[in-house]
Amino acid sequence: GNAMSTPGWSVEDGLAAMLDAKAVNTWSTAWAGLTDLQRFALRAAHAGLPLTAAATLQQAATELGQAKVQPSSITRAVETLVDKGLVAREPGSRRHVVSDPVMAAWLTQNAALPVRPA
Protein backbone atom coordinates (compact mmCIF):
# COMPACT_ATOMS: atom_id res chain seq x y z
CA GLY A 1 0.00 0.00 0.00
CA ASN A 2 2.81 2.44 0.87
CA ALA A 3 4.56 1.79 -2.43
CA MET A 4 1.34 2.14 -4.43
CA SER A 5 0.28 5.36 -2.73
CA THR A 6 3.65 7.08 -3.06
CA PRO A 7 4.82 7.62 -6.65
CA GLY A 8 8.38 6.54 -7.19
CA TRP A 9 8.50 4.17 -4.23
CA SER A 10 9.44 0.55 -4.71
CA VAL A 11 8.06 -2.30 -2.65
CA GLU A 12 11.32 -2.17 -0.67
CA ASP A 13 10.73 1.54 0.07
CA GLY A 14 7.23 0.73 1.31
CA LEU A 15 8.53 -2.06 3.52
CA ALA A 16 11.23 0.21 4.94
CA ALA A 17 8.55 2.78 5.83
CA MET A 18 6.48 0.08 7.56
CA LEU A 19 9.44 -0.96 9.68
CA ASP A 20 10.71 2.55 10.49
CA ALA A 21 10.31 3.27 14.20
CA LYS A 22 10.21 7.02 13.49
CA ALA A 23 7.40 6.75 10.93
CA VAL A 24 3.81 7.16 12.02
CA ASN A 25 2.41 3.75 11.18
CA THR A 26 0.39 0.99 12.81
CA TRP A 27 3.40 -0.69 14.38
CA SER A 28 5.30 2.32 15.73
CA THR A 29 2.02 3.72 17.07
CA ALA A 30 1.28 0.40 18.81
CA TRP A 31 4.77 0.41 20.37
CA ALA A 32 4.41 4.02 21.53
CA GLY A 33 1.06 3.21 23.17
CA LEU A 34 2.51 0.53 25.45
CA THR A 35 3.89 0.83 28.95
CA ASP A 36 7.54 -0.05 29.49
CA LEU A 37 6.58 -3.41 31.00
CA GLN A 38 4.26 -4.18 28.07
CA ARG A 39 7.09 -3.35 25.66
CA PHE A 40 9.36 -5.72 27.54
CA ALA A 41 6.72 -8.47 27.48
CA LEU A 42 6.16 -7.98 23.74
CA ARG A 43 9.90 -8.23 23.08
CA ALA A 44 10.16 -11.27 25.36
CA ALA A 45 7.28 -13.02 23.56
CA HIS A 46 8.93 -12.20 20.24
CA ALA A 47 12.17 -13.74 21.51
CA GLY A 48 10.32 -16.87 22.66
CA LEU A 49 11.25 -16.38 26.30
CA PRO A 50 9.20 -18.06 29.03
CA LEU A 51 7.47 -14.91 30.26
CA THR A 52 7.20 -15.67 33.97
CA ALA A 53 10.45 -17.61 34.37
CA ALA A 54 12.86 -16.29 36.99
CA ALA A 55 15.50 -15.37 34.39
CA THR A 56 12.96 -13.42 32.31
CA LEU A 57 11.68 -11.59 35.39
CA GLN A 58 15.25 -10.67 36.33
CA GLN A 59 15.90 -9.44 32.79
CA ALA A 60 12.70 -7.35 32.99
CA ALA A 61 13.80 -5.81 36.28
CA THR A 62 17.22 -4.97 34.85
CA GLU A 63 15.84 -3.42 31.65
CA LEU A 64 13.17 -1.50 33.55
CA GLY A 65 15.54 -0.28 36.26
CA GLN A 66 13.57 -1.97 39.04
CA ALA A 67 14.65 -4.16 41.92
CA LYS A 68 12.11 -6.86 41.06
CA VAL A 69 9.26 -7.59 38.64
CA GLN A 70 6.48 -9.84 39.87
CA PRO A 71 5.11 -12.67 37.67
CA SER A 72 1.63 -11.20 38.10
CA SER A 73 2.85 -7.93 36.57
CA ILE A 74 4.12 -9.71 33.47
CA THR A 75 0.88 -11.70 33.30
CA ARG A 76 -1.18 -8.49 33.35
CA ALA A 77 1.07 -6.95 30.69
CA VAL A 78 0.62 -10.01 28.48
CA GLU A 79 -3.16 -9.95 28.99
CA THR A 80 -3.17 -6.36 27.76
CA LEU A 81 -1.06 -7.33 24.74
CA VAL A 82 -3.54 -10.12 23.97
CA ASP A 83 -6.44 -7.66 24.27
CA LYS A 84 -4.65 -5.30 21.86
CA GLY A 85 -4.13 -8.16 19.40
CA LEU A 86 -0.34 -7.96 19.60
CA VAL A 87 0.29 -11.42 21.05
CA ALA A 88 -1.60 -14.69 21.19
CA ARG A 89 -1.12 -17.99 22.94
CA GLU A 90 0.52 -20.46 20.61
CA PRO A 91 -1.95 -23.31 19.96
CA GLY A 92 -1.24 -26.32 22.14
CA SER A 93 1.33 -24.42 24.18
CA ARG A 94 1.64 -22.08 27.15
CA ARG A 95 3.94 -19.86 25.08
CA HIS A 96 2.85 -16.49 23.71
CA VAL A 97 3.89 -15.33 20.24
CA VAL A 98 3.60 -12.06 18.34
CA SER A 99 0.33 -12.24 16.37
CA ASP A 100 1.17 -9.94 13.47
CA PRO A 101 4.07 -10.94 11.21
CA VAL A 102 4.72 -7.29 10.33
CA MET A 103 4.95 -6.45 14.04
CA ALA A 104 7.41 -9.31 14.43
CA ALA A 105 9.48 -7.86 11.56
CA TRP A 106 9.15 -4.38 13.13
CA LEU A 107 10.48 -5.73 16.45
CA THR A 108 13.39 -7.41 14.69
CA GLN A 109 14.21 -4.25 12.72
CA ASN A 110 13.97 -2.07 15.84
CA ALA A 111 15.63 -4.39 18.35
CA ALA A 112 17.89 -1.57 19.54
CA LEU A 113 14.97 0.58 20.74
CA PRO A 114 14.95 0.70 24.54
CA VAL A 115 11.84 -0.47 26.37
CA ARG A 116 12.26 2.64 28.55
CA PRO A 117 12.44 5.66 26.25
CA ALA A 118 14.76 8.41 27.40
Side-chain angles (χ1 to χ4, degrees):
N2 281 340
M4 291 173 46
S5 66
T6 307
W9 270 20
S10 66
V11 172
E12 290 78 18
D13 293 333
L15 180 59
M18 288 170 54
L19 301 180
D20 184 354
K22 295 179 184 109
V24 177
N25 58 43
T26 301
W27 304 277
S28 60
T29 301
W31 178 262
L34 299 176
T35 66
D36 297 348
L37 182 59
Q38 291 164 355
R39 287 182 186 133
F40 175 84
L42 181 60
R43 278 242 174 97
H46 180 247
L49 298 177
L51 298 176
T52 56
T56 305
L57 295 172
Q58 182 55 52
Q59 183 180 345
T62 300
E63 288 190 32
L64 298 170
Q66 298 177 1
K68 187 173 185 178
V69 172
Q70 296 294 331
S72 60
S73 296
I74 288 280
T75 299
R76 282 191 305 277
V78 170
E79 288 169 356
T80 298
L81 295 172
V82 168
D83 290 345
K84 290 178 179 272
L86 294 171
V87 299
R89 188 175 293 258
E90 188 175 52
S93 170
R94 297 185 67 208
R95 189 174 89 113
H96 283 83
V97 294
V98 176
S99 306
D100 178 358
V102 178
M103 186 61 168
W106 190 96
L107 289 165
T108 299
Q109 178 72 28
N110 297 291
L113 281 178
V115 294
R116 280 183 9 183

